[in-house]
Amino acid sequence: MIGAHAAPIPSDSVLAPLYVGADLLDAFAIHLPAGASDDPEVLARVAFERQAAWIRALTWVRDTVMAPAGVQSSRAIGAAAATRGLQVIGYFPVLSKSAGEMVMGGDDRHLDFRVAVLVRTDAQAGRELVVVTVVHCHNRLGRTYLAAIAPFHRTILRANLERTVRMLEG
């Protein structure tokens, strides 16, 4: 398996208008095995619904540390979205879906985030799963929070993509 890697930011993503002025903008990709689904929702569910134990532990730490600052917990984000009738994958509210792209995300008082899941043709004429993240901070809390979690975000995203491919392969 070829590991997850930083990828060019897709210019044709529905998130493209949000790229300007983003406090965090990144994309990571991984080659999909033959026979894997082309449906971004199916792939997002594999990637985000059953997180590895170490990722769940980090999310618990995030929720616990940020609660005193009034930041919504991951569970609260998902529950609020479900109450509004939105579909939820993991704890990410699904905001839109097309044949080639699914967008998840949420807004809070400290920042707004969006995650796009896309399936693309890669350089070897195979397929790759691409995940784009866009974050806009509203205040110092958002910028401080983002600075603290950004290295974890990148590690978690790469690990999720690699775990997704392992699950699809076997």
Side-chain angles (χ1 to χ4, degrees):
M1 174 184 74
I2 298 171
H5 58 278
I9 306 297
S11 60
D12 61 340
S13 169
V14 298
L15 296 183
L18 300 178
Y19 296 170
V20 175
D23 294 288
L24 173 75
L25 174 61
D26 60 24
F28 292 91
I30 194 163
H31 180 78
L32 285 169
S37 177
D38 283 330
D39 185 338
E41 180 177 352
V42 169
L43 296 169
R45 288 190 181 287
V46 174
F48 299 114
E49 282 196 333
R50 291 180 192 89
Q51 301 283 319
W54 68 272
I55 296 172
R56 288 193 313 268
L58 284 174
T59 302
W60 178 86
V61 169
R62 173 251 184 231
D63 290 347
T64 303
V65 168
M66 295 308 295
V71 173
Q72 293 182 52
S73 70
S74 54
R75 180 171 289 153
I77 292 167
T83 299
R84 293 190 319 269
L86 294 176
Q87 184 180 14
V88 176
I89 295 180
Y91 63 86
F92 299 117
V94 176
L95 303 177
S96 68
K97 182 183 176 194
S98 66
E101 183 172 14
M102 171 175 268
V103 175
M104 302 175 291
D107 300 336
D108 205 342
R109 66 183 186 90
H110 67 302
L111 60 76
D112 300 340
F113 74 94
R114 298 293 183 271
V115 176
V117 178
L118 305 97
V119 177
R120 296 294 166 107
T121 301
D122 67 15
Q124 294 78 32
R127 295 172 308 129
E128 65 182 0
L129 173 59
V130 181
V131 178
V132 181
T133 308
V134 182
V135 177
H136 286 271
C137 297
H138 300 306
N139 51 38
R140 187 179 324 172
L141 174 61
R143 288 185 294 280
T144 302
Y145 169 78
L146 186 60
I149 65 105
F152 298 103
H153 155 77
R154 293 178 187 105
T155 300
I156 289 168
L157 190 48
R158 284 185 178 118
N160 273 346
L161 290 172
E162 291 170 2
R163 183 174 166 272
T164 297
V165 167
R166 283 193 306 275
M167 291 177 72
L168 293 171
E169 288 176 333

